[in-house]
Amino acid sequence: MTSRTCLSVILAAGEGTRMKSALPKVLHPIAGLPIVAHVAKAVHSAGGSDIALVVGRGADAVRDAVQSVVSHVTVHEQTERLGTAHAVLAARDAIARGYDDILVVFGDTPLIETAALDRARAKLARGADVVVMGFRPDNPTGYGRLIEKDGKLIAIREDKDASDDEKKIGFCNGGLMALRGDSALQLLDKVTNANAKGEYYLTDVVEIGNALGKSVIAIDIAVDNVIGINTRVELAEAEAIWQNRKRRAMMLAGVSMQAPETVFFAHDTLIEADAMLEPHIVFGPGVSVATGAVIHAFSHLEWAKVGPGANVGPFARLRPGADLAANAKVGNFVEVKNTRIGVGAKVSHLTYLGDATVGADANIGAGTITCNYDGYNKALTEIGAGAFIGSNTSLVAPVSVGDNAYVASGSVITQNVPADALAFGRAHQVNKEGRAVQLRAGYAAQKKARKAAE
């Protein structure tokens, strides 16, 4: 298949009014990636690396979404909505460049799989001129029926026009199509708008192709491949299907999950074999988890790296730039941002580390905070290998704690701590005998006066 050139025409000009959104329909995300970008990834994987993107509203944003995953994209605006064939012909210049295969897909079908597109292209390679991708729903009512005879597709009959016998056909039109490149424009240019709506329908190429003696066939693909997104309900349903596919693929690749239905992945989540995922975990974009790592329950990760054998959570949050080396530990109610945690280092609980480095085998006590932001700028905190930071310590950046140094609990550290030193940063304690009685009396009087004034 690699010797055959391929253009993928992605139709993404629909208004998407039923989404009830200012955002173009095809830009709504599934697993953190716009719908149309999922389609672009699938066709690219099927060898359709050249993409003709047919756009309408939000053209620039739609183009940017596609170009975030593939590079060879030309943009073609459909200024009028005159049917699917009209939309494909908006990309006439791209089609005319001369490709072996043309894939026509919709920008709102994010669940199309590369394997289905590969099958369609394989049929073109074996001599077909038109390949329609069909599916078999539980209830075909409302769908156009694919009418076959002697292994050939002879017509697509809309449900409202179908005879009683034709309505019994369970093989339905999915809308996606593959065309032989040297036949595509010949077929498309013969499509007319002689119908009740006055539109140019892509489905007409089936009967046109048969009339011209072309080879027109249909292939059967899974129902979820052709699911289009028109409402937020359908968006959520597609998300669920995508997540189930990802969970299954992860487990088959060697990732353990105790309750897979509670784990949610991003489109680019990478997890190596023998990692363990407990229930109720959310992966945002840009996360990689190495072999032997354990992500405990109720953790949230995005743009983070988890090294081999590392432990995260429960109830941990890894924000962008969190980087855990091998066997590092980030425990419950710990938040890490833009911080490298060294081999075997432990941050066990109730801690915030931001804009910091933590050396190998360091121990960070509960309640430790890196004070990294002064309201205008971020500053770095450096904690050396083997350092011990006592509980409830505030490290006021920029500051460094040397290798094997100790910081006493309850300290506020504003100056660098040398290696092997012990640092105390506590205020001097003063006790005022009986002052609490006076304070309570004063506070009570203030409260009484305030209520009297109300």
Side-chain angles (χ1 to χ4, degrees), residues 8-72:
S8 297
V9 181
I10 301 178
L11 306 183
E15 292 293 331
T17 54
R18 283 188 283 168
M19 293 295 284
K20 298 187 175 8
S21 175
L23 187 70
K25 174 176 70 171
V26 297
L27 295 183
H28 283 261
I30 288 177
L33 188 70
I35 291 170
V36 70
H38 281 278
V39 178
K41 284 180 68 175
V43 296
H44 183 267
S45 296
S49 54
D50 287 1
I51 290 177
L53 180 65
V54 179
V55 296
R57 183 167 69 97
D60 290 344
V62 174
R63 177 205 61 211
D64 291 346
V66 172
Q67 288 183 331
S68 71
V69 294
V70 295
S71 55
H72 297 98

Side-chain angles (χ1 to χ4, degrees), residues 220-382:
D220 192 347
I221 65 176
V223 172
D224 56 16
N225 276 245
V226 298
I227 291 175
I229 309 301
N230 294 297
T231 67
R232 294 177 195 258
V233 172
E234 292 170 344
L235 182 69
E237 290 169 347
E239 176 84 37
I241 293 170
W242 190 96
Q243 291 292 342
N244 282 331
R245 285 182 182 176
K246 186 70 170 180
R247 292 164 186 148
R248 177 177 173 80
M250 286 280 189
M251 289 186 285
L252 289 174
V255 177
S256 293
M257 288 186 244
Q258 291 177 328
E261 70 278 5
T262 69
V263 177
F264 292 85
F265 298 104
H267 65 98
D268 58 352
T269 306
L270 298 174
I271 303 182
E272 294 181 358
D274 289 325
M276 173 67 187
L277 308 181
E278 290 186 358
H280 300 289
I281 299 167
V282 176
F283 292 96
V287 176
S288 64
V289 178
T291 185
V294 178
I295 313 297
H296 295 282
F298 296 99
S299 294
H300 186 284
L301 302 83
E302 58 181 329
W303 297 109
K305 296 180 180 179
V306 179
N311 253 266
V312 176
F315 295 98
R317 185 180 180 195
L318 300 188
R319 291 172 57 194
D323 186 352
L324 280 59
N327 301 312
K329 179 181 180 181
V330 168
N332 51 291
F333 303 104
V334 174
E335 181 178 347
V336 180
K337 188 270 296 183
N338 194 30
T339 293
R340 167 71 174 175
I341 298 178
V343 174
K346 295 179 180 179
V347 191
S348 294
H349 35 218
L350 301 165
T351 292
Y352 169 72
L353 297 180
D355 300 292
T357 61
V358 178
D361 297 315
N363 189 91
I364 312 299
T368 296
I369 297 173
T370 56
C371 306
N372 56 320
Y373 183 52
D374 61 10
Y376 296 91
N377 302 294
K378 302 288 180 67
L380 178 67
T381 298
E382 297 176 284

Side-chain angles (χ1 to χ4, degrees), residues 82 190-201 204:
L82 299 178
K190 288 185 178 298
V191 176
T192 71
N193 65 343
N195 52 65
K197 289 189 176 182
E199 294 186 352
Y200 299 84
Y201 295 128
D204 287 354

